[in-house]
Amino acid sequence: MEFSLQSLESAVPCEIVADEENGRYMLRKADTSGEIFNTPSELIQWIEANWSPEQFVSPAAFHEMKAIKINIKRD
């Protein structure tokens, strides 16, 4: 799964990648730095702790991403 969210802080969108087949779990933040995770649970925990709907142009897109990530297999 790949998801893109447009942040209010940057012209470059935030990107989330959860590729179970290849074991890739990462994201790009509004400042274009990134985070890499070992498990889908770590990725989900980081998103829940550090991002909120108000940070994005479309809060609805953030909620949609959260609904989709529930389908990501937790370890």
Side-chain angles (χ1 to χ4, degrees):
M1 171 198 81
E2 294 187 25
F3 209 86
S4 180
L5 294 170
Q6 187 61 52
S7 170
L8 293 170
E9 300 175 13
S10 175
V12 178
C14 298
E15 300 282 339
I16 301 128
V17 175
D19 180 359
E20 292 179 292
E21 188 174 304
N22 295 306
R24 298 180 323 139
Y25 308 99
M26 62 189 95
L27 57 82
R28 179 177 62 207
K29 300 183 274 186
D31 65 3
T32 69
S33 66
E35 298 283 338
I36 298 173
F37 306 94
N38 294 315
T39 65
S41 293
E42 290 176 2
L43 171 63
I44 292 166
Q45 288 172 357
W46 191 95
I47 290 170
E48 290 173 345
N50 294 281
W51 284 353
S52 65
E54 301 80 30
Q55 294 175 277
F56 300 96
V57 172
S58 173
F62 179 83
H63 290 297
E64 179 184 341
M65 179 272 306
K66 283 188 71 173
I68 290 170
K69 78 175 173 56
I70 290 169
N71 295 323
I72 297 172
K73 188 169 42 176
R74 292 182 182 243
D75 55 276

